[in-house]
Amino acid sequence: MSMPLNLKNILAVVSILLASFAFPITASAGSEHVRVVERPELKTLNSNYVSFRAPLLPQSFIKLPVGSIQPEGWVRKYLELQQDGLTGHLGEISAWLEKKNNAWLTTGGDHGWEEVPYWLKGYGNLAYMLNDPKMIAETKVWIEGAFASRQPDGYFGPINERDGRRELWAQMIMLWCLQSYYEYSHDQRVIDLMTNYFKWQMTVPDNQLLKDYWENSRGGDNLISIYWLYNRTGDSFLLKLAEKIHRNTANWTQPTSLPNWHNVNIAQCFREPATYYMQTGDSTLLKASYNVHHLIRRTFGQVPGGMFGADENARLGYIDPRQGVETCGLVEQMASDELMLCMTGDPLWAEHCEEVAFNSYPAAVMPDFKALRYITCPNHTISDSENHHPGIDNRGPFLSMNPFSSRCCQHNHAQGWPYFAEHLLLATPDNGIAVAIYAANKATVKVGNGKEIRLHEETNYPFEETIKFTVSTDEKVTFPFYLRIPSWTDKAEIRVNGKKVRVQPVAGKYVCIDREWVNGDKVELVLPMSLSMRTWQVNKNSVSVDYGPLTLSLRINEKYVEKDSRATAIGDSKWQKGADPQKWPTTEIYSDSPWNYSLVLDKKDPLKSFTVVRKAWPADNFPFTVGSVPLEVKAIGRLVPEWKIDETGLCGVLPEEDALKGQKEAITLIPMGAARLRISAFPNTRE
């Protein structure tokens, strides 16, 4: 399957291997070998799953085929909410998904751009994961449409022309839909379509390739599909095409600037240099992706929740935590983190994915998943349908929860939780398994010399500290099992069949348990959580409080007001004629309690007066609402009278540190993912 590595790639692999053994802390007990490592070992090629083909570099983790993982707990609940809510029913209400005369189903039709594949790449994976026959059948309608659109020259899909050139962004998304369908079905037509389409791309002159804004920024998505196909076919022309795509994609390797400052582009496109690094072995490309991630956050990301203040576009001077990010940006950032995790093995990306998934993304959608908002902010105290420009970059009703607004996020939101769920268990190059992102699930996976096992993960993480795993296997099997130890924990513990392992886990590393496993073996991981604080110096020394992976927000009483979605949707929204807006209302959210508090912090021990209170787990398995969240923190605050709604109708920018503050009051903090109105970056008062 593999060709010999060239010298450049051998050196790159060696450098990764050296990093893998940078922490040689080991212990053995009988046939059990436990060690702390930076990354999984890359000395071998996984024989159970398609991973890499030389000269591409090996990935540290390998995503399992869609459907291998069956989420449980709150992640399962989220998928079911999507199934019953906007994701599952968007085909009935969005004009972009109307089948009659749709350009994705008929030549020369309408609506032939990003909306169908945006929705389908999440909807299809959701269908496969839930094994829903109706949704799978609906997915196949659009997949068959893609097959039927194939042209003799290899091109497929609608023709979107810009200045006489074919614009290929929509096709990039549909390729991802086809890749998931292949994992589910093994339909050879996917391989044939992609091979012929990429041969067509080879015929396009450089001066006509990827010149439009969106496709130029997002060429890295095309690159990922090229490598996906190369790893399955080994067609050498694909590597030449990868070189061509890279040189015609926007330059995301600049040390101090970006090709553009669009929030979704940044969250999605920063991974392109790291993707191309997998072919070249040029470490400057890998470093470039890390640089973009940190560059945007040094100025615009001095806020909790893992994201950055870009609204539509990042703007100089607009860095306060009241600036937000699109729902598209949230789900694309999570996808980028998952891809970067697989490519590099760096625990940073798993931890960042959790930060966004637990703290920022849940508040972007209604609890019933029947509406979403375009922009969500770390400090977000009003969610109405007014135009808040220039407070936010967008002009229009971009803060309310509207099922019909913002046609990009309306469709692209669908990928968030399905892609997250697909990365809850990963294969490793040494025929083992790894858990880097934690949530309850049951998974079927091949390990060792091809033996199939089942791994059951039980936990209410991130709302509790304990994670339990049970191995089910028909016969004994030896394989390594990697567990990520988050950077925020101290004195983590691991027990195998009730016995504590002799190696002390190290925060920010992996623990690898390599042993012969038998049916019923159990592993228990305890990740002690504690309160901690971050200070955002760029934003007036405001502070945020964390509890393990959860960032806390002021508990604000939320007043929900339903409005007619027809009257509150933005101009580019398009409904199907039969859509009933009464079934899909807009919800505006207003604060029904004061929100303008500073935190009172002890000068020597800032969080001395804070108390963690655990509550019962919600009966419906959904912990992301003010009423159902199973954890809260008691604290002390002071009202800041001058901090109020400003002239643009938004939560005002953070007050100056010397602003007058009221009397001390008891306040309650809750995880910010459960707070659709929130203050998560607080002025601080040290006493």
Side-chain angles (χ1 to χ4, degrees), residues 2-131:
S2 299
M3 298 183 294
L5 291 171
N6 60 36
L7 180 59
K8 183 189 296 183
N9 288 343
I10 289 174
L11 293 174
V13 172
V14 169
S15 69
I16 296 174
L17 287 172
L18 290 174
S20 298
F21 296 104
F23 247 84
I25 304 174
T26 63
S28 297
S31 61
E32 184 174 278
H33 184 58
V34 182
R35 61 191 187 275
V36 174
V37 297
E38 295 269 0
R39 308 280 196 280
E41 298 178 3
L42 301 176
K43 294 185 297 184
T44 57
L45 173 67
N46 189 293
S47 59
N48 299 314
Y49 297 100
V50 174
S51 54
F52 85 104
R53 183 188 293 265
L56 299 185
L57 295 176
Q59 294 198 58
S60 291
F61 297 123
I62 304 153
K63 188 184 81 67
L64 303 180
V66 61
S68 302
I69 298 170
Q70 295 294 314
E72 296 184 329
W74 66 263
V75 177
R76 177 78 181 195
K77 179 65 175 181
Y78 248 130
L79 297 182
E80 291 171 348
L81 288 168
Q82 281 196 250
Q83 179 185 32
D84 296 335
L86 192 61
T87 307
H89 293 275
L90 199 57
E92 303 165 16
I93 63 177
S94 167
W96 308 98
L97 306 185
E98 192 166 11
K99 293 185 178 69
K100 184 178 180 180
N101 202 39
N102 192 292
W104 283 101
L105 298 177
T106 185
T107 302
D110 301 322
H111 309 321
W113 200 43
E114 67 182 8
E115 292 80 17
V116 165
Y118 252 167
W119 163 76
L120 188 63
K121 73 176 184 176
Y123 179 91
N125 287 35
L126 182 64
Y128 309 142
M129 199 171 296
L130 297 179
N131 196 27

Side-chain angles (χ1 to χ4, degrees), residues 84 111 155 224-225 229 293 295 327 336 377 429 448 500 529 542 597 628 636 671:
D84 296 335
H111 309 321
Y155 186 85
I224 287 171
S225 294
L229 183 62
H293 176 80
L295 174 64
T327 299
S336 290
C377 318
K500 186 177 177 180
M529 298 180 186
S542 57
Y597 284 95
S628 68
I636 304 297

Side-chain angles (χ1 to χ4, degrees), residues 342-359:
C342 289
M343 286 189 283
T344 70
D346 191 341
L348 163 72
W349 302 112
E351 193 154 313
H352 190 262
C353 183
E354 288 190 347
E355 184 175 18
V356 176
F358 300 158
N359 299 304

